Amino acid sequence: MKNGFKYDVDAIRAQFPACKLEIAGAPIAYLDGPGGTQIPQLVLDAMVGYMVNDNANEDGNFRASTMARYTEETARAAVADFLGCEVQEVGFSMASTQNSYNLALNLSKTFKPGDELIITEIDHRCNSAPWMSLKRLGCVVKTVRLDPVTQQLDFEDFKSKLSDKTKVVAVNWASNALGTITDVKKFIDLAHEYGAFTVVDAVHYSAHRPVDVKAIGTDALLCSPYKWFGPHSGVIYLKKEYIASLDFNNTMCDDIAKGGRRFHMGTPQYETLAGITAAVNFIAAEGEKYAEYFEDELKGLTGRRRNIVAGVLAMDTHEMELAKKLRMGLRAIPGVTVYGPAEGQPRTPTVSFTMEGYAPEQVTEVFGSKGINSWHGDFYAVEAVAALGLAESGGLIRLGMAPYCTESDIDRVLNTVAELARNR
Ligand SMILES: Cc1ncc(COP(=O)(O)O)c(C=O)c1O
């Protein structure tokens, strides 16, 4: 990044109607981003615009129907730019968990008892439960260990679990509980040496770092637009050879020409797709403002893809600064333990902690009363929280950065935690 970068947080806040809302006389501090971000006006307008002007099912001989088809194809093109893949490799549904189960259902049609599936202890259940469910077919599920000290996946343990029976390796790119970023390419490359199919959960990662599916070489990848300013929905990238060859449960499963559409079960949520396109365009518009500061990172990229990458990098730079301030501030408060990888290790701007004398839900309740949105518990990263020995004590308190978060939000958190620590 070039010197002189300054992120204009007021300009981005002005685009989010939710940033005008107040609780207890102060703007709401939206630190609940890892659970879902707020929605800019542009995205709201696109969804309402579709429902008012273009509301129809596709493939009919009338204008709205043509527009419904256009809405779907536009969304597929936008997501292809977001992920760095081809248009026909993008599928949609209502959530990543739904895509993950659908993938497991379709992929497992050729599995037999004794086939092995590898999941990890750092995963959200979205990326592990569908594979665990295949134990019913006699498949063997192996779980890669999370090192509780480094709070990173144990690659040696992964190596030891691979075999010529491994059919699937499902790995998380960034932990929604700890912020840990995994070098997924290393896992994918090795998995492919054993002929395994790879799936990456990029739901948390894609909200903070640019995704380039071709660079990591995975066979499938999951992400959810509601984590990056879009409506509640899930996106799957599936390498085109699998789009063409898998036996999908679908009413139009024979039509290979339909590409990523083969993955859909029934009529798509067109209004949602309109919102997804607008969310990608929103990120790209942000990127256009800041691209000059990221020339090195953007080398070789053009058009909307270039702006998307610039947008994600610009927002993440701001978020990482806030997260660092938060981590440092929390560590200075007696009785607070901050989780996640060591400083300097790859991570997202998501900060999780516990407080002596308080259950996590007591802390988030106080936050909530002051207009600070946060989460507590395991966030469906059940195994990670258990590996850290926190399952019985209520898990973690989690604060995640989004581009509309401010230094003042962080100050409010630190003042509240300091007050709780004094009153313990
Ligand atoms: C890392 C991660 N994976 C998967 C999911 C599940 O996504 P969805 O709600 O779209 O099924 C989440 C949601 O919080 C997540 O953070």
Side-chain angles (χ1 to χ4, degrees):
M1 187 182 66
K2 230 164 59 187
N3 284 342
F5 172 81
K6 190 163 177 344
Y7 187 74
D8 189 346
V9 70
D10 291 335
I12 200 162
R13 287 179 68 82
Q15 299 179 67
F16 286 80
C19 288
K20 297 186 177 66
L21 303 180
E22 295 194 348
I23 286 183
I28 297 174
Y30 292 105
L31 296 163
D32 55 336
T37 51
Q38 299 305 310
I39 312 279
Q41 189 65 50
L42 183 88
V43 173
L44 300 170
D45 290 346
M47 294 177 73
V48 172
Y50 167 82
M51 294 183 99
V52 172
N53 301 310
D54 306 323
N55 193 15
N57 211 321
E58 56 194 283
D59 294 339
N61 287 327
F62 52 101
R63 195 200 62 87
S65 182
T66 310
M67 289 309 290
R69 161 54 71 94
Y70 173 79
T71 301
E72 182 181 347
E73 293 314 322
T74 315
R76 193 163 277 121
V79 171
D81 280 348
F82 185 79
L83 299 176
C85 66
E86 293 180 36
V87 170
Q88 76 255 43
E89 295 176 310
V90 176
F92 298 105
S93 82
M94 289 190 292
S96 285
T97 305
Q98 200 173 29
N99 283 336
S100 186
Y101 269 106
N102 196 9
L103 178 65
L105 172 76
N106 292 307
L107 205 63
S108 64
K109 287 177 183 167
T110 58
F111 291 178
K112 52 184 187 321
D115 282 347
E116 296 178 358
L117 316 169
I118 299 186
I119 56 174
T120 83
E121 253 183 358
I122 208 167
D123 266 283
H124 184 290
R125 279 280 174 96
C126 159
N127 201 32
S128 54
W131 309 110
M132 290 188 213
S133 77
L134 297 182
K135 284 184 195 167
R136 72 175 189 277
L137 303 178
C139 292
V140 176
V141 178
K142 297 180 171 177
T143 307
V144 178
R145 174 179 171 268
L146 168 68
D147 182 332
V149 177
T150 63
Q151 297 181 35
Q152 294 167 323
L153 284 178
D154 180 343
F155 191 69
E156 292 306 311
D157 189 48
F158 171 59
K159 275 190 193 163
S160 75
K161 293 201 151 86
L162 280 160
S163 84
D164 55 8
K165 290 194 202 135
T166 309
K167 288 282 180 246
V168 174
V169 171
V171 64
N172 168 279
W173 205 345
S175 162
N176 62 318
L178 303 170
T180 307
I181 291 180
T182 295
D183 181 354
V184 288
K185 187 170 182 336
K186 236 168 91 176
F187 284 71
I188 293 162
D189 286 348
L190 194 59
H192 282 162
E193 282 182 31
Y194 286 81
F197 179 95
T198 61
V199 49
V200 170
D201 177 349
V203 175
H204 185 57
Y205 184 90
S206 60
H208 301 288
R209 301 288 152 83
V211 173
D212 182 346
V213 284
K214 299 296 169 187
I216 57 168
T218 187
D219 299 310
L221 177 135
L222 308 165
C223 65
S224 305
Y226 72 94
K227 310 287 188 183
W228 31 268
F229 325 115
H232 288 101
S233 49
V235 163
I236 185 164
Y237 155 79
L238 203 49
K239 245 184 208 164
K240 62 182 171 206
E241 62 197 80
Y242 293 103
I243 286 279
S245 64
L246 281 182
D247 174 20
F248 290 101
N249 281 34
N250 187 329
T251 42
M252 44 195 183
C253 55
D254 294 332
D255 192 349
I256 306 279
K258 289 192 187 277
R261 280 200 94 195
R262 296 190 73 228
F263 196 80
H264 289 194
M265 285 179 169
T267 304
Q269 292 69 45
Y270 297 110
E271 57 280 11
T272 299
L273 298 179
I276 294 173
T277 304
V280 171
N281 287 338
F282 169 77
I283 296 168
E286 281 303 294
E288 215 172 338
K289 294 185 205 160
Y290 296 107
E292 62 179 293
Y293 294 100
F294 298 97
E295 274 168 12
D296 286 347
E297 293 86 342
L298 299 176
K299 268 197 189 102
L301 300 178
T302 54
R304 179 165 56 182
R305 168 86 185 146
R306 176 182 159 89
N307 288 336
I308 292 166
V309 172
V312 176
L313 291 172
M315 293 186 222
D316 188 59
T317 304
H318 166 66
E319 294 165 6
M320 290 296 277
E321 280 170 16
L322 293 182
K324 187 161 187 190
K325 175 178 161 110
L326 177 59
R327 289 197 303 276
M328 299 306 154
L330 285 173
R331 286 203 181 103
I333 299 172
V336 171
T337 305
V338 178
Y339 289 82
E343 290 301 320
Q345 292 297 314
R347 62 165 307 132
T348 65
T350 291
V351 181
S352 292
F353 67 101
T354 53
M355 265 197 96
E356 252 172 59
Y358 295 95
E361 69 171 311
Q362 290 176 302
V363 178
T364 57
E365 198 179 337
V366 174
F367 282 161
S369 70
K370 296 183 177 230
I372 299 168
N373 292 9
S374 66
W375 285 105
H376 64 267
D378 63 27
F379 332 107
Y380 302 96
V382 183
E383 286 70 25
V385 165
L388 296 174
L390 299 171
E392 309 304 322
S393 51
L396 294 156
I397 304 147
R398 181 183 71 181
L399 301 163
M401 305 304 128
Y404 41 70
C405 295
T406 64
E407 282 208 38
S408 145
D409 294 341
I410 305 303
D411 291 336
R412 282 164 64 196
V413 166
L414 292 175
N415 289 339
T416 306
V417 175
E419 195 182 322
L420 284 170
R422 277 195 300 275
N423 297 336
R424 195 172 53 226

